[in-house]
Amino acid sequence: AAAHRRVYIEGPRFVTGGRPYPEWVNARIRTSLEFAEFPSQSAALALTDLGIDWYFLDITSAQTTQSVHPNRLGEWASLSFHYGNIYIYKL
């Protein structure tokens, strides 16, 4: 928001005021997490069909560290930036 860039889902509690999230927020969270947790061509296409070109992954989240392996995303996206726990992929 500070950079005036459009994002698919970021900080839903700030967008909608917290839980319970509206269904559109839950759907966006599911679509985004599916690519990180279960990377596949269909998960990548779900994002690109929505006009998403870049995928930002922060593996510091306790929710993602158990199931996300950044190297697995490389088959469907190219790693453009990596520093510490931050990965940015071009879809």
Side-chain angles (χ1 to χ4, degrees):
H4 303 286
R5 291 188 176 15
R6 293 183 312 154
V7 297
Y8 181 61
I9 189 71
E10 177 185 22
R13 67 188 171 122
F14 300 112
V15 173
T16 63
R19 295 184 188 229
Y21 297 140
E23 184 49 36
W24 71 268
V25 171
N26 289 326
R28 287 182 177 207
I29 291 169
R30 280 191 305 272
T31 303
S32 183
L33 288 177
E34 181 180 342
F35 182 64
E37 294 175 345
F38 309 104
S40 66
Q41 183 177 9
S42 63
L45 283 174
L47 295 171
T48 57
D49 286 349
L50 293 165
I52 297 168
D53 299 318
W54 296 93
Y55 190 84
F56 179 95
L57 176 65
D58 180 353
I59 62 167
T60 58
S61 168
Q63 181 179 5
T64 61
T65 54
Q66 298 297 319
S67 58
V68 174
H69 302 281
N71 297 345
R72 293 179 22 206
L73 279 64
E75 190 170 339
W76 297 279
S78 60
L79 181 63
S80 295
F81 178 80
H82 171 235
Y83 182 76
N85 293 322
I86 303 298
Y87 296 79
I88 299 176
Y89 295 90
K90 174 76 171 131
L91 296 173

